Amino acid sequence: MASTQQQTQPQPSSSASGSSNIPVRKECTVPGKTCWVLWRTNFEIDEKYTPIKAIGKGAYGVVCSAKNAVSGEKVAIKKIGNAFENLTDARRTLREIKLLRHLRHDNIIAVRDIMKPPSKDKFNDVYLVYELMDTDLHQIIRSSQALTNEH
């Protein structure tokens, strides 16, 4: 198992495969961005974010925890790869963004940031930054623990 230092301080490496949940830094030529590999997925994120570890994978992308160097806040970054390849998926992504940006409630995850693409012609992936939660709805539903108002 990786040490705590490795999880909180990602180490640059060019030889690692990136199949681990620990981020591996890559060379990045895009101004204002840093490049990382997590679970064999390339993350091209704003410089103010430092990934901590990959925390989830789903039909629409990979999620990693990260730290915002400006605010010190821990966040979750969701990468939706090739977001516009399929019209239905593109609509779902747009719907998620529009709904979550306007909903403000303690029981609904908050969108903290939406990263701008390096250019319009290279706009394939969408990066959404959320507040970091202890768990997700899927884990709560699957749990055998009785639900309370706390959940």
Side-chain angles (χ1 to χ4, degrees):
M1 181 166 192
S3 71
T4 304
Q5 182 180 2
Q6 285 177 314
Q7 290 179 1
T8 57
Q9 298 293 324
Q11 300 298 315
S13 173
S14 59
S15 61
S17 71
S19 62
S20 166
N21 72 333
I22 305 300
V24 177
R25 191 166 188 162
K26 288 181 29 176
E27 181 94 19
C28 191
T29 58
V30 181
K33 302 281 185 183
T34 57
C35 297
W36 301 85
V37 177
L38 294 112
W39 281 341
R40 296 186 180 158
T41 301
N42 292 317
F43 272 70
E44 191 176 275
I45 58 177
D46 293 349
E47 287 179 333
K48 68 180 177 180
Y49 297 108
T50 303
I52 299 168
K53 66 180 181 177
I55 57 174
K57 201 185 282 191
Y60 296 107
V62 175
V63 179
C64 76
S65 60
K67 185 169 184 177
N68 181 330
V70 176
S71 68
E73 178 185 28
K74 286 188 177 179
V75 296
I77 300 175
K78 178 180 183 181
K79 176 187 179 178
I80 304 170
N82 299 316
F84 311 109
E85 195 171 73
N86 175 300
L87 182 59
T88 302
D89 291 345
R91 285 181 177 153
R92 287 180 182 150
T93 300
L94 179 61
R95 187 179 307 125
E96 177 179 350
I97 292 168
K98 289 176 91 171
L99 282 171
L100 291 178
R101 286 192 65 197
H102 295 288
L103 295 174
R104 302 277 187 255
H105 191 277
D106 288 342
N107 296 337
I108 300 174
I109 194 163
V111 174
R112 296 282 192 238
D113 191 12
I114 301 169
M115 292 185 212
K116 291 188 168 104
S119 65
K120 286 182 183 180
D121 58 325
K122 293 184 179 182
F123 191 16
N124 296 318
D125 303 329
V126 174
Y127 292 90
L128 303 175
V129 181
Y130 298 96
E131 63 183 321
L132 183 62
M133 305 298 279
D134 293 331
T135 189
D136 63 22
L137 184 59
H138 182 70
Q139 288 178 342
I140 291 171
I141 291 170
R142 281 191 4 208
S143 173
S144 60
Q145 181 180 355
L147 290 177
T148 66
N149 288 338
E150 309 275 315
H151 293 108

